[in-house]
Amino acid sequence: MRFAPRFASLALPLLLLLDMPARADEIQVGTGPVCDTQQQAERFAALYDGDAETAISTINAEEHNETACGIVTMAYMPGPPLATARHWNLTFQIVQVLVVGLVTPEGVQAVEPVRLFTVLAIEEIDV
C-alpha cells in the first residue's frame, strides 16, 4: 500500500467502512481495512476474529510487505462486490474501492486516486 505508512496515525478502530450499500458513483467516508490485492482482502476476511490489527499484521508478514494491508480513514468510491467471504458468523463482501482522499485533522485531503480492496461486513438474513 503506497500511502499507509504516512497515515498510520490516522487509523481508527475498525468500523468496516460505514454506510454501505450506496451508489457506486457516490463518494463515501469511512474507516476500514484496505489491501493492495483482492486476495489479501479475502485473507483478511478469513483471519478476522474481531482483532483487525492482528489479521493485518499476519497478512503483512505473509506478504513480506509491512504495507500490504492497513486500516485507513478515507474518502472513497466503492465498486461492485467482487466476492463474498464467510468466517464464523460473519459475512463479508470483498469490494474494490477508489480512494480519492484521506481524512486528516484538517479534514479530507485529496490524494492521487488509487484502487485498493476492502471488506465490508454484511448482515445475511435467512429467508
Side-chain angles (χ1 to χ4, degrees), residues 50-62:
D51 183 354
E53 290 296 334
T54 297
I56 288 169
S57 293
T58 300
I59 295 164
N60 291 348
E62 291 171 353

Side-chain angles (χ1 to χ4, degrees), residues 18-63:
L18 304 173
D19 300 324
M20 198 61 189
R23 291 184 17 204
D25 61 343
E26 293 179 352
I27 294 178
Q28 300 177 37
V29 176
T31 300
V34 290
C35 297
D36 290 337
T37 69
Q38 179 178 340
Q39 292 75 23
Q40 293 163 347
E42 290 172 356
R43 181 76 173 131
F44 176 90
L47 292 170
Y48 181 73
D49 63 359
D51 183 354
E53 290 296 334
T54 297
I56 288 169
S57 293
T58 300
I59 295 164
N60 291 348
E62 291 171 353
E63 295 290 325

Side-chain angles (χ1 to χ4, degrees), residues 24-119:
D25 61 343
E26 293 179 352
I27 294 178
Q28 300 177 37
V29 176
T31 300
V34 290
C35 297
D36 290 337
T37 69
Q38 179 178 340
Q39 292 75 23
Q40 293 163 347
E42 290 172 356
R43 181 76 173 131
F44 176 90
L47 292 170
Y48 181 73
D49 63 359
D51 183 354
E53 290 296 334
T54 297
I56 288 169
S57 293
T58 300
I59 295 164
N60 291 348
E62 291 171 353
E63 295 290 325
H64 306 288
N65 178 354
E66 66 185 33
T67 63
C69 293
I71 297 175
V72 179
T73 303
M74 64 194 147
Y76 65 97
M77 294 173 55
L82 301 172
T84 300
R86 291 175 181 82
H87 180 68
W88 293 349
N89 62 343
L90 301 172
T91 303
F92 300 98
Q93 287 183 332
I94 310 303
V95 176
Q96 187 177 52
V97 293
L98 179 64
V99 178
V100 295
L102 295 171
V103 178
T104 71
E106 291 79 37
V108 177
Q109 302 297 312
V111 297
E112 183 175 331
V114 61
R115 294 195 183 277
L116 298 170
F117 296 85
T118 192
V119 297

